[in-house]
Amino acid sequence: MRRDVVVIGGGAAGLMCAAVAAGRGRRVVLLEHNGRVGRKIEISGGGRCNFTNLHTTPKNFLSSNPHFAKSALARYTPADFVALVERHRIRYHEKKLGQLFCDGSSREIIRMLLDECEAAGAEVLTDCRVLSVSRRGAEGGSADAGRKTPRAAGSEPGSGANDDEKAGEAGRGFVVETGRGRFECESVVVATGGLSIPKLGATDFGYRLARQFGLKVVGPRPALVPLTLSEKDLAHFRPLSGISIGAVVRAGGAEFAENFLVTHRGLSGPAVLQVSSYWSPGQALSIDLLPQLDARALLEAARDNNTNLTAALATHLPRRFSQVWCELYAPPRQPRAYSRDELRLLAELLHSWTVEPTGTEGFQKAEVTAGGVDTDELSSKTLEARRARGLFFVGEVVDVTGHLGGFNFQWAWASGHAAGLHA
Ligand code: FDA
């Protein structure tokens, strides 16, 4: 079966890419191994899909190269996606902080993307397992298949002395072997996502394929993920699970002012999920429990009024949390028995409470995967591999990871769109 473009993976990035490429008149087939496309879109945003964020900037993304995402994000913006959503008459609302959600169901976004594919003439095959990808003429999945004609460092398509050689390589195209037959094509777009939530069909296929073609992969790790605490800490905090507190949480040079949540295994909630993407094993979190307040003034006022410290803290923090926190750090005494220095130290601790996570809840619970195909290997404009002409990587499989709040889908749309214009 001959096609111009084979897209592997029917998630957000793959569907967008297939529709855009087919809209240019390319013969496109999208291959998805699940029984239906868009499983993550379906469950996202609690079933309402936080499909973009109005305040998207490159600063909302982590990558070994923080500049990489700029080009695609600038050329396909949240406004472009909103225009598409409005064209399909999908009703939506801003929940908070620029986060746009469907009023109805995330299935409307999947329907929209499938309608776009159909209108453009892209074929979508589900239950289709991809077995191997190789250069045409090098079938058999040789690990060297992608390295036949490495492009001169820094050269872009259509420039430099070895254009004929490159054109020859591109002209050779690919053979994609699947459980539903063999496809020959000029371009392959890898949109297989990250490793999070394996039960929804996540695989390491994209990383393996990148390595097969000689491309570097930045070690994938769980991100936007709950953090775990030691049994010793849990003995104190587990009974508080379900309590949510507005705070500023810091780790790895990043800080987020949102709520965090105590869970039966550790900490979660938006502030902890956000900071988890920057956290490395062995690091401590620093949590400002009273970011809007001068804790020292609060404690000194309690001392002057002879109010016990738990009661004073409970005016700003959940009572049960204040109790446990005081049991740990403020020995029970008459408030007036505290010296000013002791209160100063306690105040400092309230503004930078140190918590040492033991790990994360892993890919089973991670909303995304950080790391992925090294951006040095890809053109930021087209998402094509510099050393493997005709091979593109889009979406989460690339080493670009968004913050919580609609940014990961915006990257999927933008990178899928960029590759769709060139594949
Ligand atoms: P995605 O994972 O969506 O798609 C990859 C596809 O490739 C899958 O359909 C998979 O089955 C398929 N595949 C994998 N290997 C294959 C193979 N070998 N052959 C064929 N097919 C293969 N983001 C956001 O911006 N707003 C939100 O509200 C949420 N909410 C959210 C909730 C939960 C629970 C999770 C787990 C994640 C989110 N996200 C999110 C993150 C967001 O879902 C994610 O970043 C995008 O779906 C990434 O899109 P991709 O298309 O790159 O991968």
Side-chain angles (χ1 to χ4, degrees):
M1 294 178 272
R2 282 182 189 274
R3 299 289 185 284
D4 296 321
V5 182
V6 170
V7 178
I8 308 176
L15 287 163
M16 171 62 85
C17 184
V20 172
R24 289 165 46 228
R26 301 284 274 166
R27 288 170 308 161
V28 179
V29 65
L30 178 148
L31 312 176
E32 165 59 51
H33 69 163
N34 280 337
R36 58 184 194 271
V37 298
R39 296 287 308 273
K40 277 194 189 159
I41 301 177
E42 210 172 298
I43 60 158
S44 67
R48 291 222 160 90
C49 187
N50 175 195
F51 54 79
T52 191
N53 192 299
L54 294 175
H55 309 313
T56 302
T57 72
K59 291 205 175 90
N60 299 114
F61 297 86
L62 291 84
S63 171
S64 302
N65 174 0
H67 302 291
F68 181 81
K70 285 182 180 169
S71 171
L73 291 171
R75 282 175 300 121
Y76 192 83
T77 64
D80 291 320
F81 194 75
V82 168
L84 181 64
V85 165
E86 290 180 351
R87 229 173 26 250
H88 286 257
R89 299 181 194 286
I90 297 173
R91 297 172 68 87
Y92 65 92
H93 61 279
E94 180 179 346
K95 195 167 173 189
K96 58 171 184 173
L97 307 169
Q99 301 167 4
L100 300 190
F101 286 75
C102 297
D103 287 357
S105 155
S106 18
R107 293 211 177 85
E108 293 172 86
I109 298 290
I110 301 172
R111 187 68 262 153
M112 173 187 87
L113 293 165
L114 284 172
D115 287 349
E116 286 287 307
C117 283
E118 194 184 338
E123 204 180 334
V124 174
L125 288 187
T126 52
D127 286 316
C128 183
R129 211 156 76 82
V130 178
L131 304 172
S132 69
V133 177
S134 49
R135 278 282 180 213
R136 204 183 281 158
E139 290 90 325
S142 153
D144 292 331
R147 295 194 205 136
K148 292 274 154 59
T149 52
R151 181 179 300 169
S155 70
E156 288 290 329
S159 67
N162 62 344
D163 275 357
D164 287 349
E165 195 183 356
K166 285 186 288 181
E169 186 200 56
R172 274 171 53 205
F174 299 89
V175 175
V176 181
E177 297 281 359
T178 81
R180 298 178 62 173
R182 157 197 276 228
F183 292 89
E184 295 196 6
C185 60
E186 280 175 28
S187 301
V188 168
V189 181
V190 183
T192 47
L195 296 175
S196 34
I197 326 278
K199 67 173 190 262
L200 292 183
T203 69
D204 66 349
F205 183 86
Y207 310 129
R208 279 192 282 123
L209 195 66
R211 291 194 188 102
Q212 178 196 323
F213 280 85
L215 311 181
K216 287 183 294 210
V217 173
V218 177
R221 61 181 200 284
L224 299 181
V225 62
L227 298 175
T228 53
L229 293 179
S230 66
E231 275 307 318
K232 187 165 159 265
D233 285 339
L234 285 174
H236 303 290
F237 293 107
R238 192 180 272 130
L240 304 179
S241 74
I243 285 182
S244 170
I245 296 172
V248 174
V249 182
R250 302 187 176 92
E255 65 171 51
F256 292 90
E258 279 193 72
N259 279 28
F260 75 88
L261 177 74
V262 183
T263 72
H264 65 287
R265 298 185 65 184
L267 298 176
S268 185
V272 165
L273 293 177
Q274 296 277 34
V275 98
S276 73
S277 304
Y278 294 84
W279 177 81
S280 315
Q283 275 181 357
L285 304 185
S286 165
I287 304 183
D288 185 344
L289 290 166
L290 296 170
Q292 314 288 357
L293 221 74
D294 179 346
R296 193 167 170 189
L298 177 80
L299 296 177
E300 288 194 351
R303 178 182 191 271
D304 295 345
N305 303 331
N306 209 20
T307 310
N308 80 51
L309 298 191
T310 305
L313 287 186
T315 55
H316 299 279
L317 292 168
R319 172 164 286 278
R320 283 196 295 138
F321 183 88
S322 309
Q323 252 160 10
V324 169
W325 198 88
C326 285
E327 276 161 28
L328 281 171
Y329 304 106
R333 304 185 200 149
Q334 285 299 312
R336 291 214 172 98
Y338 279 95
S339 70
R340 292 211 181 273
D341 265 357
E342 284 172 319
L343 292 185
R344 180 179 51 78
L345 289 175
L346 278 178
E348 280 172 16
L349 196 58
L350 283 163
H351 285 308
S352 63
W353 178 40
T354 302
V355 180
E356 289 173 17
T358 51
T360 76
E361 290 201 32
F363 288 115
Q364 305 289 338
K365 290 286 168 66
E367 194 161 308
V368 287
T369 301
V373 178
D374 194 324
T375 53
D376 280 354
E377 304 283 9
L378 307 175
S379 154
S380 61
K381 188 171 169 220
T382 64
L383 282 302
E384 186 180 16
R386 294 178 186 280
R387 294 195 275 167
R389 292 288 310 277
L391 184 63
F392 297 73
F393 291 84
V394 295
E396 203 178 308
V397 73
V398 178
D399 174 29
V400 172
T401 307
H403 289 170
L404 195 71
F407 302 104
N408 282 296
F409 278 135
Q410 188 56 37
W411 168 246
W413 315 134
S415 57
H417 189 268
L421 293 177
H422 295 91

Short mmCIF file of all heavy atoms in Angstrom, two decimals, residues 130-175:
data_model
loop_
_atom_site.label_atom_id
_atom_site.label_comp_id
_atom_site.label_asym_id
_atom_site.label_seq_id
_atom_site.Cartn_x
_atom_site.Cartn_y
_atom_site.Cartn_z
N VAL A 130 2.04 -1.36 14.73
CA VAL A 130 3.18 -1.13 13.85
C VAL A 130 4.31 -2.05 14.30
O VAL A 130 4.70 -2.05 15.46
CB VAL A 130 3.63 0.34 13.90
CG1 VAL A 130 4.86 0.56 13.03
CG2 VAL A 130 2.49 1.24 13.45
N LEU A 131 4.81 -2.85 13.38
CA LEU A 131 5.83 -3.84 13.74
C LEU A 131 7.24 -3.30 13.53
O LEU A 131 8.11 -3.52 14.35
CB LEU A 131 5.62 -5.13 12.93
CG LEU A 131 4.21 -5.74 13.07
CD1 LEU A 131 4.02 -6.90 12.09
CD2 LEU A 131 3.98 -6.22 14.50
N SER A 132 7.43 -2.61 12.41
CA SER A 132 8.77 -2.06 12.16
C SER A 132 8.69 -0.94 11.15
O SER A 132 7.73 -0.82 10.39
CB SER A 132 9.69 -3.16 11.63
OG SER A 132 9.29 -3.52 10.32
N VAL A 133 9.72 -0.10 11.17
CA VAL A 133 9.87 0.97 10.18
C VAL A 133 11.30 0.87 9.67
O VAL A 133 12.24 0.77 10.47
CB VAL A 133 9.66 2.36 10.82
CG1 VAL A 133 9.89 3.46 9.78
CG2 VAL A 133 8.27 2.47 11.43
N SER A 134 11.44 0.88 8.36
CA SER A 134 12.81 0.85 7.83
C SER A 134 12.86 1.68 6.55
O SER A 134 11.83 2.00 5.97
CB SER A 134 13.25 -0.59 7.56
OG SER A 134 12.24 -1.25 6.82
N ARG A 135 14.07 2.04 6.14
CA ARG A 135 14.25 2.72 4.87
C ARG A 135 13.86 1.77 3.74
O ARG A 135 14.19 0.58 3.81
CB ARG A 135 15.71 3.10 4.68
CG ARG A 135 16.10 4.36 5.38
CD ARG A 135 15.65 5.58 4.62
NE ARG A 135 16.06 6.77 5.34
CZ ARG A 135 15.37 7.89 5.34
NH1 ARG A 135 14.23 7.98 4.68
NH2 ARG A 135 15.82 8.93 5.99
N ARG A 136 13.24 2.30 2.72
CA ARG A 136 12.92 1.44 1.58
C ARG A 136 14.24 0.93 1.00
O ARG A 136 15.21 1.68 0.89
CB ARG A 136 12.18 2.26 0.51
CG ARG A 136 11.33 1.41 -0.39
CD ARG A 136 10.68 2.23 -1.46
NE ARG A 136 9.51 2.96 -0.98
CZ ARG A 136 9.03 4.04 -1.57
NH1 ARG A 136 9.62 4.56 -2.62
NH2 ARG A 136 7.96 4.63 -1.11
N GLY A 137 14.30 -0.33 0.73
CA GLY A 137 15.56 -0.90 0.23
C GLY A 137 16.42 -1.45 1.35
O GLY A 137 17.44 -2.06 1.11
N ALA A 138 16.02 -1.16 2.61
CA ALA A 138 16.79 -1.71 3.75
C ALA A 138 15.84 -2.43 4.66
O ALA A 138 15.99 -2.39 5.87
CB ALA A 138 17.49 -0.58 4.48
N GLU A 139 14.78 -3.03 4.10
CA GLU A 139 13.78 -3.71 4.90
C GLU A 139 14.42 -4.78 5.76
O GLU A 139 15.47 -5.32 5.42
CB GLU A 139 12.68 -4.36 4.04
CG GLU A 139 11.76 -3.38 3.37
CD GLU A 139 12.25 -2.97 2.00
OE1 GLU A 139 13.47 -2.88 1.80
OE2 GLU A 139 11.42 -2.74 1.11
N GLY A 140 13.75 -5.08 6.84
CA GLY A 140 14.32 -6.03 7.79
C GLY A 140 14.67 -5.31 9.07
O GLY A 140 15.11 -5.90 10.03
N GLY A 141 14.41 -3.97 9.05
CA GLY A 141 14.55 -3.20 10.29
C GLY A 141 15.98 -3.02 10.74
O GLY A 141 16.26 -2.97 11.92
N SER A 142 16.93 -2.92 9.75
CA SER A 142 18.32 -2.71 10.15
C SER A 142 18.45 -1.52 11.07
O SER A 142 17.88 -0.47 10.83
CB SER A 142 19.16 -2.46 8.89
OG SER A 142 20.28 -1.67 9.21
N ALA A 143 19.22 -1.70 12.14
CA ALA A 143 19.39 -0.61 13.09
C ALA A 143 20.12 0.56 12.46
O ALA A 143 20.08 1.67 12.95
CB ALA A 143 20.16 -1.10 14.30
N ASP A 144 20.81 0.31 11.33
CA ASP A 144 21.56 1.38 10.68
C ASP A 144 20.73 2.09 9.62
O ASP A 144 21.22 2.99 8.94
CB ASP A 144 22.81 0.83 9.99
CG ASP A 144 23.81 0.35 11.02
OD1 ASP A 144 23.80 0.90 12.13
OD2 ASP A 144 24.56 -0.58 10.69
N ALA A 145 19.49 1.67 9.47
CA ALA A 145 18.69 2.16 8.34
C ALA A 145 18.70 3.66 8.21
O ALA A 145 18.71 4.19 7.11
CB ALA A 145 17.26 1.65 8.47
N GLY A 146 18.70 4.35 9.31
CA GLY A 146 18.58 5.81 9.23
C GLY A 146 19.90 6.53 9.08
O GLY A 146 19.92 7.74 8.96
N ARG A 147 20.99 5.82 9.09
CA ARG A 147 22.28 6.52 9.16
C ARG A 147 23.01 6.54 7.82
O ARG A 147 24.16 6.90 7.76
CB ARG A 147 23.19 5.83 10.18
CG ARG A 147 22.65 5.92 11.57
CD ARG A 147 23.72 5.54 12.55
NE ARG A 147 23.09 5.06 13.76
CZ ARG A 147 23.50 4.00 14.41
NH1 ARG A 147 24.51 3.31 14.00
NH2 ARG A 147 22.87 3.62 15.50
N LYS A 148 22.31 6.13 6.74
CA LYS A 148 23.02 5.96 5.48
C LYS A 148 23.65 7.27 4.99
O LYS A 148 24.76 7.28 4.54
CB LYS A 148 22.06 5.41 4.42
CG LYS A 148 21.63 3.98 4.72
CD LYS A 148 22.63 3.00 4.14
CE LYS A 148 22.68 1.66 4.84
NZ LYS A 148 21.48 0.91 4.87
N THR A 149 22.91 8.38 5.07
CA THR A 149 23.44 9.63 4.55
C THR A 149 23.24 10.74 5.57
O THR A 149 22.34 11.57 5.42
CB THR A 149 22.72 10.03 3.24
OG1 THR A 149 21.32 10.00 3.49
CG2 THR A 149 23.07 9.14 2.11
N PRO A 150 24.07 10.78 6.60
CA PRO A 150 23.88 11.82 7.61
C PRO A 150 24.03 13.21 7.01
O PRO A 150 24.91 13.43 6.18
CB PRO A 150 25.01 11.54 8.61
CG PRO A 150 25.94 10.61 7.94
CD PRO A 150 25.22 9.94 6.85
N ARG A 151 23.14 14.08 7.40
CA ARG A 151 23.18 15.45 6.88
C ARG A 151 24.34 16.19 7.54
O ARG A 151 24.62 16.01 8.70
CB ARG A 151 21.87 16.17 7.21
CG ARG A 151 21.84 17.58 6.69
CD ARG A 151 20.54 18.22 7.03
NE ARG A 151 19.46 17.47 6.43
CZ ARG A 151 18.19 17.68 6.74
NH1 ARG A 151 17.87 18.58 7.64
NH2 ARG A 151 17.26 16.99 6.16
N ALA A 152 25.01 17.06 6.76
CA ALA A 152 26.09 17.87 7.32
C ALA A 152 25.52 18.68 8.48
O ALA A 152 24.40 19.17 8.42
CB ALA A 152 26.61 18.82 6.25
N ALA A 153 26.31 18.80 9.55
CA ALA A 153 25.83 19.46 10.76
C ALA A 153 25.27 20.84 10.44
O ALA A 153 25.88 21.61 9.71
CB ALA A 153 26.98 19.60 11.75
N GLY A 154 24.12 21.13 10.94
CA GLY A 154 23.53 22.47 10.81
C GLY A 154 22.84 22.72 9.49
O GLY A 154 22.16 23.73 9.31
N SER A 155 22.99 21.84 8.49
CA SER A 155 22.37 22.14 7.20
C SER A 155 20.89 21.82 7.24
O SER A 155 20.45 20.89 7.89
CB SER A 155 23.06 21.35 6.09
OG SER A 155 22.75 19.99 6.21
N GLU A 156 20.10 22.63 6.57
CA GLU A 156 18.65 22.46 6.50
C GLU A 156 18.31 21.81 5.17
O GLU A 156 19.11 21.86 4.22
CB GLU A 156 17.96 23.82 6.59
CG GLU A 156 18.01 24.42 7.98
CD GLU A 156 17.12 23.67 8.98
OE1 GLU A 156 16.08 23.12 8.57
OE2 GLU A 156 17.49 23.61 10.16
N PRO A 157 17.09 21.24 5.02
CA PRO A 157 16.72 20.66 3.74
C PRO A 157 16.87 21.70 2.64
O PRO A 157 16.58 22.88 2.85
CB PRO A 157 15.25 20.29 3.93
CG PRO A 157 15.06 20.21 5.41
CD PRO A 157 16.05 21.12 6.02
N GLY A 158 17.35 21.26 1.49
CA GLY A 158 17.42 22.17 0.36
C GLY A 158 18.65 23.07 0.39
O GLY A 158 18.74 24.01 -0.37
N SER A 159 19.59 22.83 1.27
CA SER A 159 20.79 23.66 1.29
C SER A 159 22.00 22.74 1.37
O SER A 159 21.92 21.58 1.74
CB SER A 159 20.79 24.57 2.51
OG SER A 159 20.92 23.79 3.67
N GLY A 160 23.20 23.27 0.99
CA GLY A 160 24.42 22.51 1.18
C GLY A 160 24.78 21.66 -0.02
O GLY A 160 24.00 21.51 -0.97
N ALA A 161 26.01 21.10 0.05
CA ALA A 161 26.59 20.45 -1.13
C ALA A 161 26.02 19.07 -1.39
O ALA A 161 26.01 18.63 -2.53
CB ALA A 161 28.10 20.36 -0.94
N ASN A 162 25.57 18.37 -0.38
CA ASN A 162 25.16 16.98 -0.61
C ASN A 162 23.66 16.83 -0.80
O ASN A 162 23.05 15.86 -0.40
CB ASN A 162 25.67 16.06 0.51
CG ASN A 162 25.09 16.43 1.86
OD1 ASN A 162 24.57 17.54 1.99
ND2 ASN A 162 25.17 15.53 2.82
N ASP A 163 23.04 17.88 -1.44
CA ASP A 163 21.59 17.86 -1.66
C ASP A 163 21.13 16.65 -2.46
O ASP A 163 20.10 16.06 -2.17
CB ASP A 163 21.14 19.12 -2.39
CG ASP A 163 20.89 20.25 -1.40
OD1 ASP A 163 21.04 19.99 -0.19
OD2 ASP A 163 20.59 21.35 -1.84
N ASP A 164 21.92 16.29 -3.49
CA ASP A 164 21.49 15.17 -4.32
C ASP A 164 21.41 13.90 -3.49
O ASP A 164 20.46 13.14 -3.56
CB ASP A 164 22.50 14.92 -5.47
CG ASP A 164 22.38 16.02 -6.50
OD1 ASP A 164 21.40 16.80 -6.41
OD2 ASP A 164 23.27 16.12 -7.35
N GLU A 165 22.44 13.77 -2.68
CA GLU A 165 22.50 12.59 -1.82
C GLU A 165 21.28 12.59 -0.88
O GLU A 165 20.61 11.59 -0.70
CB GLU A 165 23.78 12.68 -1.00
CG GLU A 165 24.16 11.39 -0.34
CD GLU A 165 25.41 11.59 0.52
OE1 GLU A 165 25.97 12.69 0.51
OE2 GLU A 165 25.78 10.63 1.18
N LYS A 166 20.98 13.79 -0.29
CA LYS A 166 19.86 13.88 0.64
C LYS A 166 18.55 13.62 -0.08
O LYS A 166 17.69 12.91 0.41
CB LYS A 166 19.83 15.28 1.28
CG LYS A 166 20.91 15.45 2.33
CD LYS A 166 20.77 16.76 3.05
CE LYS A 166 21.18 17.90 2.14
NZ LYS A 166 21.08 19.19 2.79
N ALA A 167 18.44 14.22 -1.29
CA ALA A 167 17.20 14.03 -2.04
C ALA A 167 17.02 12.55 -2.34
O ALA A 167 15.93 12.00 -2.25
CB ALA A 167 17.23 14.84 -3.32
N GLY A 168 18.14 11.89 -2.65
CA GLY A 168 18.09 10.46 -2.92
C GLY A 168 17.58 9.69 -1.73
O GLY A 168 16.69 8.85 -1.84
N GLU A 169 18.08 10.06 -0.55
CA GLU A 169 17.67 9.38 0.67
C GLU A 169 16.18 9.62 0.92
O GLU A 169 15.42 8.68 1.19
CB GLU A 169 18.49 9.88 1.86
CG GLU A 169 18.21 9.11 3.11
CD GLU A 169 18.61 9.88 4.34
OE1 GLU A 169 18.13 11.01 4.51
OE2 GLU A 169 19.38 9.32 5.13
N ALA A 170 15.77 10.91 0.77
CA ALA A 170 14.37 11.25 1.02
C ALA A 170 13.49 10.51 0.03
O ALA A 170 12.43 10.00 0.38
CB ALA A 170 14.16 12.75 0.91
N GLY A 171 13.98 10.45 -1.22
CA GLY A 171 13.19 9.80 -2.27
C GLY A 171 12.97 8.33 -1.97
O GLY A 171 11.98 7.75 -2.37
N ARG A 172 13.93 7.76 -1.24
CA ARG A 172 13.79 6.32 -0.95
C ARG A 172 12.63 6.03 -0.05
O ARG A 172 12.02 4.98 -0.13
CB ARG A 172 15.09 5.80 -0.32
CG ARG A 172 16.10 5.40 -1.36
CD ARG A 172 17.43 5.11 -0.72
NE ARG A 172 17.29 4.15 0.34
CZ ARG A 172 18.14 4.06 1.36
NH1 ARG A 172 19.14 4.90 1.44
NH2 ARG A 172 17.99 3.15 2.28
N GLY A 173 12.34 6.94 0.85
CA GLY A 173 11.19 6.77 1.72
C GLY A 173 11.33 5.60 2.68
O GLY A 173 12.44 5.14 2.97
N PHE A 174 10.18 5.14 3.15
CA PHE A 174 10.15 4.14 4.24
C PHE A 174 9.22 2.99 3.92
O PHE A 174 8.28 3.13 3.14
CB PHE A 174 9.66 4.81 5.53
CG PHE A 174 10.53 5.92 6.00
CD1 PHE A 174 10.30 7.23 5.57
CD2 PHE A 174 11.58 5.69 6.88
CE1 PHE A 174 11.12 8.27 6.00
CE2 PHE A 174 12.40 6.73 7.31
CZ PHE A 174 12.16 8.02 6.87
N VAL A 175 9.47 1.89 4.62
CA VAL A 175 8.53 0.77 4.63
C VAL A 175 8.05 0.60 6.07
O VAL A 175 8.86 0.51 6.99
CB VAL A 175 9.21 -0.53 4.16
CG1 VAL A 175 8.26 -1.71 4.30
CG2 VAL A 175 9.69 -0.38 2.73
#
